[in-house]
Amino acid sequence: LLLFTFTFGYQTEDVVLSPMFKSTSVSDFWGRRWNKSVHKGLKNGAYKTMRKLTNSRIMGALSAFIVSGIIHEYVNLVLFDVIEYKSKQVMFFCWNACLISLEYFLCSFESVQIIVTKIPKPFITALVLCSALPVAHLFTGDWIVHGYFDAVMYAETTILCRSP
């Protein structure tokens, strides 16, 4: 990124902020660490709109995740030419919206907040990642079936530049 900045004069910003290693909650994973540019679009386009209409964080989150699921369904349709529509992406993202709703509810209790502060952060991150496991196949299934990861494995090496 430093080379890009030096060469072209543009400041760059990280889009993904170590969600697999530093997430402290499901909302932290999706809202602050995973694909910040998409998050910003969904927050402004779906979340805030629904929040204004319903005055509910849960409905705002649900609408943002449903829109994300629909976008992912379209991407899979284009990439894999999948004729049948099974709503797998929408189900995956609705699951995560339910997890965030549960987090909102549980974290409203002071006793839960106290307990969470005593749990080591790496353990919390592992729990966050494990929360997606029951439905992860809905998100990755078509990618695996259509050989995406095999193709990536044999792709040419990419040089990554990181700022110090």
PDB file of all heavy atoms in Angstrom, residues 2 10 16 18 25 33 35 49 63 65 77-78 82 91 94 110 125 130-131 133 151 155:
ATOM      1  N   LEU A   2       1.993   1.191   0.687  1.00  0.00           N
ATOM      2  CA  LEU A   2       2.894   2.335   0.738  1.00  0.00           C
ATOM      3  C   LEU A   2       3.439   2.645  -0.656  1.00  0.00           C
ATOM      4  O   LEU A   2       3.527   3.811  -1.052  1.00  0.00           O
ATOM      5  CB  LEU A   2       4.030   2.066   1.715  1.00  0.00           C
ATOM      6  CG  LEU A   2       4.960   3.219   2.025  1.00  0.00           C
ATOM      7  CD1 LEU A   2       4.182   4.388   2.627  1.00  0.00           C
ATOM      8  CD2 LEU A   2       6.031   2.772   2.995  1.00  0.00           C
ATOM      9  N   TYR A  10      -2.145   8.582  -3.850  1.00  0.00           N
ATOM     10  CA  TYR A  10      -3.431   8.357  -3.191  1.00  0.00           C
ATOM     11  C   TYR A  10      -3.228   7.681  -1.844  1.00  0.00           C
ATOM     12  O   TYR A  10      -2.410   6.772  -1.722  1.00  0.00           O
ATOM     13  CB  TYR A  10      -4.340   7.445  -4.037  1.00  0.00           C
ATOM     14  CG  TYR A  10      -4.800   8.073  -5.326  1.00  0.00           C
ATOM     15  CD1 TYR A  10      -4.270   7.674  -6.540  1.00  0.00           C
ATOM     16  CD2 TYR A  10      -5.778   9.060  -5.322  1.00  0.00           C
ATOM     17  CE1 TYR A  10      -4.688   8.240  -7.726  1.00  0.00           C
ATOM     18  CE2 TYR A  10      -6.206   9.634  -6.508  1.00  0.00           C
ATOM     19  CZ  TYR A  10      -5.663   9.216  -7.700  1.00  0.00           C
ATOM     20  OH  TYR A  10      -6.088   9.775  -8.862  1.00  0.00           O
ATOM     21  N   VAL A  16     -10.489  -4.617   5.109  1.00  0.00           N
ATOM     22  CA  VAL A  16     -10.755  -5.687   6.074  1.00  0.00           C
ATOM     23  C   VAL A  16      -9.739  -5.549   7.205  1.00  0.00           C
ATOM     24  O   VAL A  16      -8.546  -5.483   6.961  1.00  0.00           O
ATOM     25  CB  VAL A  16     -10.639  -7.066   5.393  1.00  0.00           C
ATOM     26  CG1 VAL A  16     -10.873  -8.178   6.386  1.00  0.00           C
ATOM     27  CG2 VAL A  16     -11.621  -7.179   4.228  1.00  0.00           C
ATOM     28  N   SER A  18      -8.579  -7.528  10.049  1.00  0.00           N
ATOM     29  CA  SER A  18      -8.300  -8.753  10.821  1.00  0.00           C
ATOM     30  C   SER A  18      -9.518  -9.330  11.544  1.00  0.00           C
ATOM     31  O   SER A  18      -9.462  -9.619  12.736  1.00  0.00           O
ATOM     32  CB  SER A  18      -7.198  -8.485  11.845  1.00  0.00           C
ATOM     33  OG  SER A  18      -6.024  -8.077  11.207  1.00  0.00           O
ATOM     34  N   SER A  25     -16.973  -9.574  18.902  1.00  0.00           N
ATOM     35  CA  SER A  25     -18.400  -9.887  18.889  1.00  0.00           C
ATOM     36  C   SER A  25     -18.824 -10.075  17.433  1.00  0.00           C
ATOM     37  O   SER A  25     -18.066  -9.749  16.514  1.00  0.00           O
ATOM     38  CB  SER A  25     -19.217  -8.747  19.519  1.00  0.00           C
ATOM     39  OG  SER A  25     -19.146  -7.597  18.707  1.00  0.00           O
ATOM     40  N   ARG A  33     -15.000  -4.799  11.110  1.00  0.00           N
ATOM     41  CA  ARG A  33     -13.803  -5.479  10.619  1.00  0.00           C
ATOM     42  C   ARG A  33     -13.950  -6.092   9.229  1.00  0.00           C
ATOM     43  O   ARG A  33     -13.003  -6.169   8.485  1.00  0.00           O
ATOM     44  CB  ARG A  33     -13.380  -6.553  11.612  1.00  0.00           C
ATOM     45  CG  ARG A  33     -13.048  -5.960  12.960  1.00  0.00           C
ATOM     46  CD  ARG A  33     -12.353  -6.940  13.864  1.00  0.00           C
ATOM     47  NE  ARG A  33     -11.900  -6.266  15.058  1.00  0.00           N
ATOM     48  CZ  ARG A  33     -10.801  -5.534  15.128  1.00  0.00           C
ATOM     49  NH1 ARG A  33     -10.027  -5.403  14.095  1.00  0.00           N
ATOM     50  NH2 ARG A  33     -10.471  -4.936  16.248  1.00  0.00           N
ATOM     51  N   ASN A  35     -15.040  -6.160   5.463  1.00  0.00           N
ATOM     52  CA  ASN A  35     -15.394  -5.388   4.278  1.00  0.00           C
ATOM     53  C   ASN A  35     -16.076  -4.057   4.614  1.00  0.00           C
ATOM     54  O   ASN A  35     -17.273  -3.878   4.417  1.00  0.00           O
ATOM     55  CB  ASN A  35     -16.266  -6.214   3.341  1.00  0.00           C
ATOM     56  CG  ASN A  35     -16.149  -5.711   1.923  1.00  0.00           C
ATOM     57  OD1 ASN A  35     -15.799  -4.561   1.681  1.00  0.00           O
ATOM     58  ND2 ASN A  35     -16.448  -6.579   0.982  1.00  0.00           N
ATOM     59  N   THR A  49     -32.101   3.436   6.701  1.00  0.00           N
ATOM     60  CA  THR A  49     -33.452   3.606   6.162  1.00  0.00           C
ATOM     61  C   THR A  49     -34.468   2.852   7.008  1.00  0.00           C
ATOM     62  O   THR A  49     -35.494   3.411   7.412  1.00  0.00           O
ATOM     63  CB  THR A  49     -33.503   3.111   4.698  1.00  0.00           C
ATOM     64  OG1 THR A  49     -32.527   3.815   3.936  1.00  0.00           O
ATOM     65  CG2 THR A  49     -34.876   3.321   4.096  1.00  0.00           C
ATOM     66  N   SER A  63     -32.603  -5.864   7.863  1.00  0.00           N
ATOM     67  CA  SER A  63     -32.741  -5.390   6.480  1.00  0.00           C
ATOM     68  C   SER A  63     -31.379  -5.322   5.780  1.00  0.00           C
ATOM     69  O   SER A  63     -31.266  -5.692   4.612  1.00  0.00           O
ATOM     70  CB  SER A  63     -33.449  -4.033   6.433  1.00  0.00           C
ATOM     71  OG  SER A  63     -32.657  -3.040   7.027  1.00  0.00           O
ATOM     72  N   PHE A  65     -28.738  -7.172   6.383  1.00  0.00           N
ATOM     73  CA  PHE A  65     -28.279  -8.533   6.095  1.00  0.00           C
ATOM     74  C   PHE A  65     -29.099  -9.183   4.983  1.00  0.00           C
ATOM     75  O   PHE A  65     -28.560  -9.944   4.172  1.00  0.00           O
ATOM     76  CB  PHE A  65     -28.296  -9.382   7.365  1.00  0.00           C
ATOM     77  CG  PHE A  65     -27.048  -9.196   8.199  1.00  0.00           C
ATOM     78  CD1 PHE A  65     -27.043  -8.312   9.262  1.00  0.00           C
ATOM     79  CD2 PHE A  65     -25.893  -9.881   7.911  1.00  0.00           C
ATOM     80  CE1 PHE A  65     -25.900  -8.119  10.021  1.00  0.00           C
ATOM     81  CE2 PHE A  65     -24.744  -9.708   8.663  1.00  0.00           C
ATOM     82  CZ  PHE A  65     -24.748  -8.820   9.718  1.00  0.00           C
ATOM     83  N   LEU A  77     -25.271 -16.287  -8.788  1.00  0.00           N
ATOM     84  CA  LEU A  77     -25.986 -16.574 -10.034  1.00  0.00           C
ATOM     85  C   LEU A  77     -25.112 -16.222 -11.238  1.00  0.00           C
ATOM     86  O   LEU A  77     -24.985 -16.995 -12.179  1.00  0.00           O
ATOM     87  CB  LEU A  77     -27.298 -15.793 -10.083  1.00  0.00           C
ATOM     88  CG  LEU A  77     -28.100 -15.909 -11.374  1.00  0.00           C
ATOM     89  CD1 LEU A  77     -28.644 -17.331 -11.509  1.00  0.00           C
ATOM     90  CD2 LEU A  77     -29.230 -14.899 -11.396  1.00  0.00           C
ATOM     91  N   VAL A  78     -24.472 -15.064 -11.200  1.00  0.00           N
ATOM     92  CA  VAL A  78     -23.620 -14.625 -12.306  1.00  0.00           C
ATOM     93  C   VAL A  78     -22.350 -15.479 -12.401  1.00  0.00           C
ATOM     94  O   VAL A  78     -21.976 -15.932 -13.475  1.00  0.00           O
ATOM     95  CB  VAL A  78     -23.257 -13.131 -12.155  1.00  0.00           C
ATOM     96  CG1 VAL A  78     -22.191 -12.713 -13.147  1.00  0.00           C
ATOM     97  CG2 VAL A  78     -24.503 -12.268 -12.304  1.00  0.00           C
ATOM     98  N   VAL A  82     -26.018 -20.545 -11.727  1.00  0.00           N
ATOM     99  CA  VAL A  82     -26.917 -21.425 -10.981  1.00  0.00           C
ATOM    100  C   VAL A  82     -28.343 -21.065 -11.348  1.00  0.00           C
ATOM    101  O   VAL A  82     -28.783 -19.940 -11.138  1.00  0.00           O
ATOM    102  CB  VAL A  82     -26.700 -21.271  -9.451  1.00  0.00           C
ATOM    103  CG1 VAL A  82     -27.646 -22.157  -8.684  1.00  0.00           C
ATOM    104  CG2 VAL A  82     -25.262 -21.572  -9.099  1.00  0.00           C
ATOM    105  N   MET A  91     -30.264 -16.963   3.629  1.00  0.00           N
ATOM    106  CA  MET A  91     -30.355 -17.694   4.901  1.00  0.00           C
ATOM    107  C   MET A  91     -29.094 -17.497   5.737  1.00  0.00           C
ATOM    108  O   MET A  91     -29.179 -17.312   6.955  1.00  0.00           O
ATOM    109  CB  MET A  91     -30.617 -19.182   4.654  1.00  0.00           C
ATOM    110  CG  MET A  91     -32.016 -19.478   4.185  1.00  0.00           C
ATOM    111  SD  MET A  91     -32.378 -21.236   4.082  1.00  0.00           S
ATOM    112  CE  MET A  91     -31.507 -21.702   2.603  1.00  0.00           C
ATOM    113  N   CYS A  94     -29.223 -13.977   7.135  1.00  0.00           N
ATOM    114  CA  CYS A  94     -30.283 -13.859   8.153  1.00  0.00           C
ATOM    115  C   CYS A  94     -29.831 -14.507   9.464  1.00  0.00           C
ATOM    116  O   CYS A  94     -30.149 -14.008  10.548  1.00  0.00           O
ATOM    117  CB  CYS A  94     -31.589 -14.475   7.656  1.00  0.00           C
ATOM    118  SG  CYS A  94     -32.457 -13.415   6.494  1.00  0.00           S
ATOM    119  N   GLU A 110     -26.293  -6.069  32.373  1.00  0.00           N
ATOM    120  CA  GLU A 110     -25.005  -5.700  32.966  1.00  0.00           C
ATOM    121  C   GLU A 110     -24.200  -6.938  33.367  1.00  0.00           C
ATOM    122  O   GLU A 110     -22.982  -6.977  33.210  1.00  0.00           O
ATOM    123  CB  GLU A 110     -25.225  -4.805  34.189  1.00  0.00           C
ATOM    124  CG  GLU A 110     -23.948  -4.223  34.726  1.00  0.00           C
ATOM    125  CD  GLU A 110     -24.189  -3.253  35.869  1.00  0.00           C
ATOM    126  OE1 GLU A 110     -25.287  -2.686  35.960  1.00  0.00           O
ATOM    127  OE2 GLU A 110     -23.262  -3.087  36.681  1.00  0.00           O
ATOM    128  N   THR A 125     -13.071 -14.363  20.168  1.00  0.00           N
ATOM    129  CA  THR A 125     -12.930 -14.393  18.712  1.00  0.00           C
ATOM    130  C   THR A 125     -13.247 -15.782  18.177  1.00  0.00           C
ATOM    131  O   THR A 125     -13.945 -15.925  17.167  1.00  0.00           O
ATOM    132  CB  THR A 125     -11.507 -13.971  18.294  1.00  0.00           C
ATOM    133  OG1 THR A 125     -11.271 -12.648  18.763  1.00  0.00           O
ATOM    134  CG2 THR A 125     -11.328 -14.017  16.794  1.00  0.00           C
ATOM    135  N   CYS A 130     -16.977 -19.469  15.414  1.00  0.00           N
ATOM    136  CA  CYS A 130     -17.755 -20.707  15.514  1.00  0.00           C
ATOM    137  C   CYS A 130     -19.260 -20.467  15.363  1.00  0.00           C
ATOM    138  O   CYS A 130     -19.987 -21.373  14.978  1.00  0.00           O
ATOM    139  CB  CYS A 130     -17.473 -21.404  16.840  1.00  0.00           C
ATOM    140  SG  CYS A 130     -15.849 -22.168  16.907  1.00  0.00           S
ATOM    141  N   SER A 131     -19.694 -19.254  15.637  1.00  0.00           N
ATOM    142  CA  SER A 131     -21.124 -18.962  15.520  1.00  0.00           C
ATOM    143  C   SER A 131     -21.598 -19.067  14.069  1.00  0.00           C
ATOM    144  O   SER A 131     -22.785 -19.282  13.817  1.00  0.00           O
ATOM    145  CB  SER A 131     -21.442 -17.581  16.090  1.00  0.00           C
ATOM    146  OG  SER A 131     -20.894 -16.561  15.283  1.00  0.00           O
ATOM    147  N   LEU A 133     -20.355 -21.377  11.943  1.00  0.00           N
ATOM    148  CA  LEU A 133     -20.150 -22.750  11.463  1.00  0.00           C
ATOM    149  C   LEU A 133     -21.434 -23.515  11.123  1.00  0.00           C
ATOM    150  O   LEU A 133     -21.450 -24.231  10.125  1.00  0.00           O
ATOM    151  CB  LEU A 133     -19.314 -23.541  12.470  1.00  0.00           C
ATOM    152  CG  LEU A 133     -17.841 -23.138  12.536  1.00  0.00           C
ATOM    153  CD1 LEU A 133     -17.115 -23.989  13.575  1.00  0.00           C
ATOM    154  CD2 LEU A 133     -17.175 -23.247  11.190  1.00  0.00           C
ATOM    155  N   ALA A 151      -9.267 -23.361  -8.136  1.00  0.00           N
ATOM    156  CA  ALA A 151      -8.708 -22.441  -9.125  1.00  0.00           C
ATOM    157  C   ALA A 151      -7.811 -21.408  -8.458  1.00  0.00           C
ATOM    158  O   ALA A 151      -6.743 -21.075  -8.985  1.00  0.00           O
ATOM    159  CB  ALA A 151      -9.829 -21.756  -9.899  1.00  0.00           C
ATOM    160  N   ALA A 155      -3.626 -20.392  -8.789  1.00  0.00           N
ATOM    161  CA  ALA A 155      -3.420 -19.085  -9.420  1.00  0.00           C
ATOM    162  C   ALA A 155      -1.993 -18.615  -9.185  1.00  0.00           C
ATOM    163  O   ALA A 155      -1.301 -19.093  -8.297  1.00  0.00           O
ATOM    164  CB  ALA A 155      -4.405 -18.072  -8.842  1.00  0.00           C
TER     165      ALA A 155
END
